[in-house]
Amino acid sequence: MRTGDAERKKAYAARPDEPVASFKLVSTIMPQGSGQQPYTYKVALGIALLLTVVTAALGALPVSIMIAAFAIPIVYIIYLYDVNLWEDEPIPVVAAAFVLTGVLAAVFTWLWKDKLALSLDTIGGNSAGPSGRDLLILLLLVPVVSELIRQIGPLYLASRPRYDDLMDGFTFGVVAGVGYACFETLVLHWGWISGGFAGPGSSAGTWISIVLLHGFIKPLVYGSATGLAGAEFSGLGEGYDGFTPRWVAGLIQAMAVNALFQGGVYLLGFVGGHGSTIGSILGVVWGLLLLGALIIRVRTVLHKGLLEAALESAARGGSNHASGDLAFCSRCEMPLLPHSDFCSACGNSVRSVPKSARGMAAPTAAPTAATTGETQA
């Protein structure tokens, strides 16, 4: 009403001080914690990234790959516990979406890598050049089957009445995506893990590029794409939307992103010759481009979903998500109006706040004259 921008493009619903079109990673994949302590997750990811690069440069490949594989899943699980997203049931929720997906990912990756005799082990691993058979596996079989595997846990959980919110569906998808990437990386590079330390050398650039791509970029690409499909399955309003055309479109989009990632990294790996560092670096650049486009897409979908959900609940006469008792915004700590979907002070979405914090009771201290005047104003 103040700016004439009905779509609020300059105020992301989960973080109003950021525009919708932004590459802010934490507020995109961790919206429930972005308003309270975003730097905690940034620092954790930064430390994991630094350790990965240093150990890879020193030739400690088993250590580097293990850190890269588990860094983002561990940080994300800590984030889920930190915000107490599902109150008293975090363990079965995380286990269903992460462990189940991880086990299926390990089995399927082993099948297409070893049993189908794919002619590569790492980026550019086939010295004979690109293979049409490999491309069919990486562009068709792997994207379709792997995305269907990643959908199992999120769809089961999002179909339960307690977890049918748009933000829940997105979070389940991210958990499944990073879990799949973790176990896929372990299977693909098990030869490096069991091969021992390589020692620093001329291949350090290739090693660093590979662990960055598979340990940090890939899980974010998988998680964002699967999260978008999960959000479409949950949909808006009361209950989950289910297998709608929007979910089908989200599923196809996730498969297409997976195909672009796998195929692009495979082909770029041959630039500069067998095992070239240039090809590895180009694979990282390609992954970053896809991830950047996905982040913008995720922010657009979540932002629009939060706004539409607020309008729907207002049309019904009140939100089913915000508490009717006096509560306070988790970001600016101003009072929330009863049954509101957004903070009227900063515009933060109540739906991007953990459910356990939505009914936060008001302090018992009596308000001062100054705060009373501000509230009335």
Side-chain angles (χ1 to χ4, degrees):
M1 292 178 63
R2 292 189 307 171
T3 64
D5 181 12
E7 297 181 356
R8 279 183 54 175
K9 294 181 180 179
K10 295 183 178 181
Y12 180 44
R15 181 82 186 192
D17 59 341
E18 297 175 358
V20 176
S22 172
F23 296 106
K24 301 288 186 179
L25 179 63
V26 172
S27 60
T28 303
I29 66 170
M30 304 178 184
Q32 286 90 352
S34 62
Q36 299 175 355
Q37 43 190 0
Y39 294 104
T40 301
Y41 313 118
K42 292 179 181 178
V43 171
L45 290 173
I47 292 175
L49 181 62
L50 178 62
L51 289 175
T52 300
V53 171
V54 171
T55 52
L58 295 176
L61 298 184
V63 177
S64 180
I65 294 174
M66 293 297 287
I67 294 175
F70 286 99
I72 289 184
I74 289 176
V75 171
Y76 204 78
I77 291 174
I78 291 175
Y79 151 74
L80 296 180
Y81 279 90
D82 193 26
V83 299
N84 194 20
L85 188 58
W86 298 291
E87 299 176 349
D88 58 342
E89 291 191 44
I91 294 179
V93 168
V94 173
F98 182 82
V99 177
L100 172 63
T101 304
V103 172
L104 293 176
V107 173
F108 176 63
T109 304
W110 172 71
L111 287 174
W112 67 260
K113 177 181 179 292
D114 293 341
K115 294 305 178 181
L116 294 181
L118 201 68
S119 59
L120 78 158
D121 182 50
T122 58
I123 299 176
N126 178 12
S127 58
S131 163
R133 181 174 177 274
D134 289 349
L135 282 174
L136 284 176
I137 294 174
L138 294 174
L139 293 178
L140 186 60
L141 176 66
V142 173
V144 172
V145 178
S146 65
E147 188 56 44
L148 291 176
I149 290 175
R150 291 195 289 271
Q151 291 292 313
I152 295 175
L155 296 193
Y156 167 72
L157 293 170
S159 63
R160 300 173 63 185
R162 188 172 183 179
Y163 311 123
D164 61 5
D165 192 75
L166 175 101
M167 300 299 292
D168 292 336
F170 173 74
T171 303
F172 293 141
V174 175
V175 171
V178 299
Y180 189 100
C182 171
F183 284 83
E184 181 185 70
T185 297
L186 294 178
V187 174
L188 286 178
H189 301 294
W190 186 253
W192 282 11
I193 296 174
S194 59
F197 285 43
S202 58
S203 299
T206 302
W207 299 333
I208 293 173
S209 299
I210 291 176
V211 295
L212 287 180
L213 179 69
H214 290 269
F216 289 89
I217 298 175
K218 181 173 71 176
L220 295 174
V221 170
Y222 285 6
S224 300
T226 305
L228 282 172
E232 297 293 2
F233 181 85
S234 294
L236 304 172
E238 186 176 358
Y240 64 95
D241 287 358
F243 301 102
T244 62
R246 293 180 60 173
W247 173 78
V248 173
L251 180 66
I252 294 175
Q253 173 186 258
M255 293 176 177
V257 168
N258 195 345
L260 288 172
F261 177 82
Q262 299 280 3
V265 169
Y266 173 74
L267 292 175
L268 290 171
F270 295 100
V271 177
H274 172 55
S276 170
T277 301
I278 296 177
S280 303
I281 294 175
L282 289 176
V284 172
V285 173
W286 174 245
L288 287 173
L289 290 175
L290 284 178
L291 178 59
L294 269 176
I295 288 177
I296 298 297
R297 176 63 178 162
V298 168
R299 293 173 72 89
T300 302
V301 170
L302 292 185
H303 176 76
K304 183 178 179 181
L306 291 170
L307 294 181
E308 290 180 353
L311 292 175
E312 286 187 5
S313 64
R316 293 195 303 266
S319 171
N320 293 325
H321 296 268
S323 171
D325 301 325
L326 181 59
F328 293 85
C329 175
S330 63
R331 181 174 174 274
C332 70
E333 299 184 353
M334 291 293 287
L336 293 172
L337 294 176
H339 301 291
S340 59
D341 281 276
F342 285 89
C343 173
S344 57
C346 71
N348 191 48
S349 169
V350 175
R351 286 172 177 254
S352 67
V353 178
K355 294 179 178 67
S356 58
R358 292 173 184 170
M360 189 189 310
T364 56
T368 63
T371 58
T372 302
E374 290 175 354
T375 304
Q376 291 175 347

